[in-house]
Amino acid sequence: MHASVMDFLNAKVAELHLDDGRSVVELGSYWVNGSAREAWPDTTTWTGYDIIDGPGVDVVCASHDVPIDDSSVDIVVCVEMLEHDPHPANTFAEIRRILRPEGVLLLTTRANGFVHHHPPDHHRFSDDDLKHLAMCELRHTWTPTEALDPVDTTPPTIVGHRPPLDILTLDPDPQYQHPGWLVVARRQ
């Protein structure tokens, strides 16, 4: 994890008082050069989800199909994962489903520029992309084989209402050598 991402997390945890025992879910929790967990006290209820097992992963699953009840999570952390997700609209829909009303999303992702292919690198996001994903109602239906196929041909369907996210801050990452975004959003 790049230092600017950890600086962002530490600043937002302190500024928004997110270290007060709330439940935290991390999507894309496999530890790479550190962990977002380091920004919270050890007493935090934290569950990490990723598509592969490894350090920092408590539950193996796709980020668009997290086995959590609706409106049951206080904070979702998603750092440096969304650009690797072949289905970011579905992941955003899932975040909106699992966050409680007034729940907080802390997200970092890459913008245009640098591409790396391990793990696969699918997307670069503009600020308009992220604003759209915060409101998007489209969600695909999935079968296990489709979840493994990066080429999605399933027609989109609307699967229930997902409350939108209000983007509180959408700032460029000024420190990282590759353009990116630092995002704080709250579920309505």
Side-chain angles (χ1 to χ4, degrees):
M1 172 175 318
H2 192 271
S4 68
V5 173
M6 189 53 73
D7 291 347
F8 166 74
L9 292 173
N10 286 327
K12 295 306 174 185
V13 167
E15 175 187 326
L16 301 172
H17 308 286
L18 301 178
D19 56 354
D20 60 0
R22 296 185 230 188
S23 60
V24 180
V25 161
E26 183 180 12
L27 300 179
S29 63
Y30 191 94
W31 293 1
V32 178
N33 301 322
S35 169
R37 289 183 198 215
E38 297 167 15
W40 273 265
D42 290 340
T43 56
T44 302
T45 303
W46 186 286
T47 310
Y49 296 82
D50 209 311
I51 59 170
I52 57 172
D53 196 13
V57 179
D58 301 304
V59 178
V60 176
C61 68
S63 58
H64 60 265
D65 191 22
V66 181
I68 299 175
D69 292 337
D70 293 358
S71 302
S72 62
V73 176
D74 297 309
I75 302 163
V76 172
V77 176
C78 183
V79 294
E80 303 305 298
M81 183 281 284
L82 200 61
E83 63 268 23
H84 303 288
D85 187 343
H87 310 289
N90 293 7
T91 294
F92 257 83
E94 190 73 345
I95 290 167
R96 291 170 32 219
R97 181 187 72 77
I98 66 175
L99 271 176
R100 290 184 177 146
E102 301 299 313
V104 174
L105 166 65
L106 298 177
L107 171 94
T108 67
T109 191
R110 296 299 97 205
N112 61 349
F114 175 75
V115 175
H116 59 97
H117 296 285
H118 183 75
D121 207 349
H122 295 284
H123 302 282
R124 290 294 178 268
F125 298 95
S126 71
D127 56 342
D128 287 335
D129 292 331
L130 294 170
K131 291 173 188 173
H132 172 74
L133 288 171
M135 301 298 289
C136 184
E137 280 294 332
L138 292 181
R139 181 179 167 99
H140 296 275
T141 56
W142 298 100
T143 64
T145 56
E146 288 170 332
L148 299 175
D149 183 1
V151 179
D152 178 17
T153 59
T154 307
T157 57
I158 295 178
V159 180
H161 175 70
R162 304 288 191 252
L165 296 172
D166 292 326
I167 294 183
L168 305 178
T169 62
L170 177 59
D171 299 319
D173 183 343
Q175 299 175 28
Y176 198 64
Q177 69 257 27
H178 308 294
W181 297 104
L182 306 172
V183 181
V184 178
R186 187 177 306 274
R187 197 193 109 174
Q188 295 180 359

